[in-house]
Amino acid sequence: MTALLNIKTRRKKLERDEKKESTLESSRKVVHLRVYRKNPKQDKSSHFDKFEVPVQRWSTVLDALLHAKGYLDKSIAIRYSCRMASCGSCGMKINGIPRLACYTKVSEIDGNIITCEPLPNFPVIRDLVGDFSDFFEHHSAMEPFIHNQNADIVDENRLTEFIQTPEDVENYLQFSYCIKCGLCYSACPSVGSDTRFPGPQALAQAYRYVADNRDDATQSRLNIVDNKHGIWRCHFAGSCSVVCPKGVDPALGIQLLRGHLVNFSKNDKKLAESRTRNLGKT
Amino acid sequence: MILKESQIMKIHYITGIAALFVVAVHIIMRLVMPFSMSLEYENVIANYQNIAYAVLLESILVLIAIHGFNGLRIILIEFRQNIAWENGVTVFTLVAMIALIAYGTRTIIVANGLG
Ligand code: SF4
Ligand code: FES
């Protein structure tokens, strides 16, 4: 009797395993990857290579590319690191839209042809890897750090604390989520036509520090963006905000910063400055 | 005098909004009589000779010239990024703007009968 029960349980387990196996099998499919290939050091021309890659329901475009690189063509150049939308290095144009390869599931894409191209507005180093030098130069030109004359980081006795309320943090929080992936920069038509335009990422970062009440360099930051090729060359296409994978709205940051420049915004910085100044006395 | 880009853009926005109002008034004035009649020679000259209307036309001319030529400057400086081009574009648009305003003002003065 016990032996019969054992056989029945084992058979059930076997059936369950078979079912699991067949579900796994059905979640597997093959996609056709079209990968942009170019090596400017050797040849000015470019072409697309095609790869057939097996994917699962949960595979990302980066997984598919790494499969192609690992098993089909080791020479494909891709930049990636975290595989979790944190480092901002795997940006590329996927079926015509700037996206993070590690944050785009194959199942999200219509059809089974996936075309991967380098991000527009970045000079190609090789294949899918773009040169971010100009992008980071624009970013660092915004002085993306807190300036505060009242904070002495050398003299210990004059150390002050930067107190912020949750409301103060709300003013800039979304802009601090930026991972510098460059998707917004690549989607911006103004960057495409004006190489000296800082782009949505840098301008949104300028706003991030202007809106931060610990920072007292508002005027110098406004001066940085207020020039012929600066913030006024944004024509509000809004594509930056559409493609951002982190929910940042650079177009909003740009409009708010413009508000500061034409004095349409309330000057909340004055209040913030006096608050910081009083901090040492309390 | 060198204006900052934000000051120029402030002028751009103000002239744009103001132009909307004066052009709206200008169009509405066409409707005080049948449209085709409003464009007859005598009626047009009569409009010019009305001093308030002449002031309205002059303000349309000035506002649209400033707004339009600054718009043109903005488009052109995005084409190339070098100082010579930028300065050339600025001088060209400024001169063209002044010339257009001068010519238009002369027409208004002549039609008004002051000239
Ligand atoms: S704003 Fe968004 S899209 Fe632009 S660099 Fe930052 S995270 Fe990327
Ligand atoms: S690999 Fe880091 S964001 Fe995609």
Side-chain angles (χ1 to χ4, degrees):
Chain A
M1 187 68 185
T2 332
L4 200 68
L5 265 178
N6 266 348
I7 290 169
K8 269 189 180 170
T9 335
R10 243 193 262 161
R11 190 178 294 154
K12 266 190 189 160
K13 191 176 175 290
L14 214 67
E15 275 169 11
R16 262 206 315 269
D17 284 352
E18 269 172 13
K19 217 170 162 187
K20 227 186 202 171
E21 193 69 27
S22 76
T23 330
L24 211 66
E25 202 55 53
S26 70
S27 74
R28 251 181 227 142
K29 64 171 189 172
V30 169
V31 290
H32 301 271
L33 268 187
R34 285 179 75 236
V35 182
Y36 179 93
R37 307 302 303 270
K38 181 174 181 170
N39 188 352
K41 277 193 188 144
Q42 288 175 359
D43 189 0
K44 288 270 171 284
S45 66
S46 63
H47 65 277
F48 283 90
D49 277 346
K50 291 190 189 113
F51 304 99
E52 274 190 13
V53 178
V55 288
Q56 309 278 4
R57 226 170 346 124
W58 49 85
S59 300
T60 61
V61 173
L62 183 63
D63 293 333
L65 279 166
L66 290 178
H67 181 97
K69 185 175 169 67
Y71 300 104
L72 305 169
D73 183 348
K74 294 201 171 7
S75 68
I76 302 173
I78 324 169
R79 188 194 281 132
Y80 72 100
S81 175
C82 69
R83 300 192 191 199
M84 50 182 273
S86 289
C87 70
S89 38
C90 67
M92 62 184 70
K93 207 160 81 172
I94 300 171
N95 284 5
I97 300 171
R99 306 175 85 158
L100 292 179
C102 72
Y103 201 48
T104 308
K105 284 210 294 186
V106 169
S107 57
E108 282 171 40
I109 291 167
D110 289 336
N112 68 346
I113 299 176
I114 302 173
T115 305
C116 299
E117 294 165 88
L119 288 175
N121 298 341
F122 291 92
V124 173
I125 297 176
R126 226 186 81 190
D127 301 343
L128 301 172
V129 180
D131 183 353
F132 271 53
S133 313
D134 285 351
F135 173 79
F136 284 127
E137 249 167 54
H138 287 307
H139 174 66
S140 60
M142 298 300 147
E143 302 182 351
F145 42 84
I146 304 265
H147 284 274
N148 194 312
Q149 297 299 321
N150 301 302
D152 195 328
I153 50 167
V154 182
D155 181 357
E156 248 181 56
N157 299 322
R158 292 193 58 222
L159 273 183
T160 48
E161 194 182 356
F162 292 135
I163 294 177
Q164 282 191 305
T165 64
E167 291 76 32
D168 293 334
V169 177
E170 283 298 323
N171 288 339
Y172 65 85
L173 187 62
Q174 66 146 313
F175 301 101
S176 66
Y177 291 149
C178 172
I179 55 170
K180 287 115 203 135
C181 63
L183 299 195
C184 55
Y185 188 86
S186 76
C188 175
S190 295
V191 172
S193 61
D194 186 341
T195 50
R196 286 175 58 200
F197 177 61
Q201 188 276 338
L203 292 171
Q205 287 311 295
Y207 179 71
R208 179 245 174 275
Y209 288 95
V210 165
D212 190 328
N213 66 353
R214 296 168 297 179
D215 185 87
D216 62 12
T218 298
Q219 198 47 53
S220 71
R221 271 208 185 82
L222 294 183
N223 289 342
I224 294 171
V225 298
D226 189 9
N227 60 62
K228 281 200 187 86
H229 296 280
I231 191 163
W232 303 104
R233 297 295 81 85
C234 161
H235 301 306
F236 208 21
S239 42
C240 50
S241 303
V242 176
V243 299
C244 177
K246 302 303 283 185
V248 181
D249 188 347
L252 171 74
I254 294 173
Q255 298 311 312
L256 292 175
L257 198 56
R258 278 179 170 182
H260 277 272
L261 276 160
V262 290
N263 304 327
F264 287 167
S265 303
K266 269 197 234 148
N267 196 354
D268 48 284
K269 297 304 294 179
K270 287 244 168 14
L271 191 70
E273 280 164 16
S274 67
R275 211 184 299 163
T276 324
R277 221 170 291 129
N278 290 336
L279 228 107
K281 295 173 195 159
T282 53
Chain B
M1 182 184 65
I2 295 167
L3 290 174
K4 274 172 134 184
E5 198 65 14
S6 54
Q7 292 165 321
I8 297 175
M9 292 311 288
K10 230 184 261 183
I11 295 170
H12 188 74
Y13 295 146
I14 291 168
T15 51
I17 294 166
L20 264 183
F21 282 106
V22 284
V23 169
V25 173
H26 176 56
I27 291 170
I28 290 166
M29 294 297 261
R30 301 271 66 69
L31 305 176
V32 294
M33 59 181 80
F35 183 73
S36 58
M37 203 198 275
S38 78
L39 294 177
E40 278 170 13
Y41 182 77
E42 290 75 25
N43 289 329
V44 172
I45 292 297
N47 278 337
Y48 273 103
Q49 286 173 350
N50 177 328
I51 196 75
Y53 203 88
V55 170
L56 176 83
L57 290 175
E58 179 67 20
S59 58
I60 291 176
L61 172 69
V62 173
L63 293 171
I64 299 234
I66 294 175
H67 188 80
F69 279 106
N70 186 47
L72 181 64
R73 180 190 71 92
I74 291 168
I75 294 168
L76 292 177
I77 58 171
E78 277 177 30
F79 275 143
R80 283 188 208 165
Q81 289 82 53
N82 67 62
I83 302 288
W85 172 258
E86 283 165 19
N87 291 344
V89 164
T90 307
V91 171
F92 163 72
T93 47
L94 259 179
V95 169
M97 180 187 83
I98 292 167
L100 186 83
I101 292 176
Y103 185 71
T105 307
R106 180 193 154 275
T107 308
I108 293 170
I109 290 172
V110 170
N112 182 272
L114 290 172

